[in-house]
Amino acid sequence: MSESLQSRYESVCARVEQSAKAAGRSIEEITLIVVTKNHPAQLVLDLLELGARDFGENRDQEASSKAEAVAESLAASGTPPDYRWHFVGQLQSNKVRSVLRYAQAVHSLDRTSLLQALEKELAKEPERSQLDVFIELNLTDDPQRGGLDPKSLEVFAEAVLRVPQLNLRGVMGVATLDRQAERDFEFIRACSDRVRALSPGANQISAGMSGDFETAISFGATHLRIGTAITGERQY
Ligand SMILES: *Cc1c(COP(=O)(O)O)cnc(C)c1O
């Protein structure tokens, strides 16, 4: 394993801890998801050895084969640790079945057609445990960007809450580049309050990436999605 991976991982963990402390928050309420897209399964295995337990991917094709490779490798080496895959990218309905095989959480639930596809696939597996979901918000004026129009938040959240096999955890957002991240995180937090008013348990906030996670923590983020600050530059 490269020493630089270890030092980047440890340095991000230390920064998360410091930011949580500065915000008067407990580290226990923050989940660090390492986004491993465009990196091989070996990187996930190395990160598991360093103590990481939550991993994020944004494309099913890459994620499904990586998840399988990681599981196989761990099975061959004894007792596998507990770890989770989070799907964080735009999700096409026809990929839902595949994503459900490995993901414990989907952070990009943003439209009715995807909700229906999830409901339909989950109904085929009544034994499966609930899927954790976050409603992704579109913080731009561009409908192509993915994410739900925040104006529809209550109506959509109610629809999600009606699906028994979905566990609505909260909201997710990606800060836009064209204004200060603070404004976006403030807005995400206001949206989180609106969802929490409908369902007190849906109080989690998936926000914060390599460039802005410290700010996100100060605005209440509970699930950080951090790629390059830990993995190094992605190999395309
Ligand atoms: C790639 C990605 C991240 C991580 O981005 P970094 O800037 O590398 O930390 C977070 N969230 C989503 C949705 C992503 O696609």
Side-chain angles (χ1 to χ4, degrees):
M1 176 189 324
S2 81
E3 258 172 56
S4 47
L5 177 67
Q6 177 162 9
S7 66
R8 285 191 302 262
Y9 176 69
E10 286 171 358
S11 138
V12 167
C13 289
R15 285 166 64 194
V16 168
E17 213 169 314
Q18 274 162 17
S19 306
K21 197 181 248 180
R25 300 182 55 200
S26 159
I27 190 75
E28 307 289 315
E29 65 190 48
I30 297 175
T31 301
L32 169 57
I33 300 164
V34 188
V35 179
T36 49
K37 65 188 182 199
N38 298 95
H39 286 281
Q42 186 58 48
L43 183 95
V44 178
L45 296 168
D46 291 347
L47 285 161
L48 278 164
E49 222 168 284
L50 294 172
R53 291 295 179 264
D54 290 270
F55 302 95
E57 288 284 334
N58 70 338
R59 289 195 314 122
D60 171 62
Q61 198 180 10
E62 177 182 344
S64 57
S65 55
K66 197 180 299 181
E68 200 176 316
V70 168
E72 271 172 20
S73 172
L74 290 172
S77 70
T79 337
D82 251 341
Y83 64 101
R84 291 157 294 278
W85 287 104
H86 299 253
F87 195 84
V88 302
Q90 277 200 40
L91 177 53
Q92 293 167 274
S93 296
N94 63 357
K95 304 287 190 199
V96 161
R97 183 199 296 243
S98 170
V99 166
L100 286 174
R101 284 199 205 104
Y102 56 87
Q104 277 77 37
V106 169
H107 290 238
S108 45
L109 179 51
D110 64 352
R111 61 193 191 279
T112 303
S113 57
L114 178 57
L115 176 62
Q116 287 168 341
L118 283 165
E119 183 172 17
K120 191 169 146 213
E121 283 304 323
L122 286 163
K124 295 178 188 165
E125 296 177 63
E127 305 298 306
R128 191 192 199 278
S129 53
Q130 280 187 315
L131 178 74
D132 284 345
V133 289
F134 293 81
I135 296 175
E136 180 180 354
L137 303 160
N138 184 350
L139 304 179
T140 73
D141 296 324
D142 178 2
Q144 304 288 67
R145 289 292 296 270
L148 180 81
D149 180 342
K151 286 200 279 296
S152 312
L153 186 55
E154 277 81 1
V155 172
F156 189 65
E158 293 281 16
V160 176
L161 290 166
R162 280 194 291 271
V163 180
Q165 281 183 287
L166 294 179
N167 179 21
L168 179 59
R169 302 297 312 278
V171 294
M172 180 275 222
V174 178
T176 55
L177 296 172
D178 51 355
R179 57 176 174 250
Q180 288 207 308
E182 281 85 350
R183 275 188 54 195
D184 286 327
F185 292 136
E186 181 77 64
F187 183 76
I188 295 168
R189 184 158 66 180
C191 289
S192 168
D193 290 343
R194 288 163 59 194
V195 171
R196 215 158 31 140
L198 301 175
S199 175
N203 58 358
Q204 306 286 289
I205 297 176
S206 170
M209 303 173 31
S210 290
D212 57 19
F213 68 88
E214 285 151 318
T215 311
I217 290 171
S218 72
F219 283 88
T222 62
H223 290 68
L224 315 172
R225 307 179 312 269
I226 302 181
T228 47
I230 294 173
T231 63
E233 288 305 316
R234 288 184 275 272
Q235 305 142 15
Y236 287 95

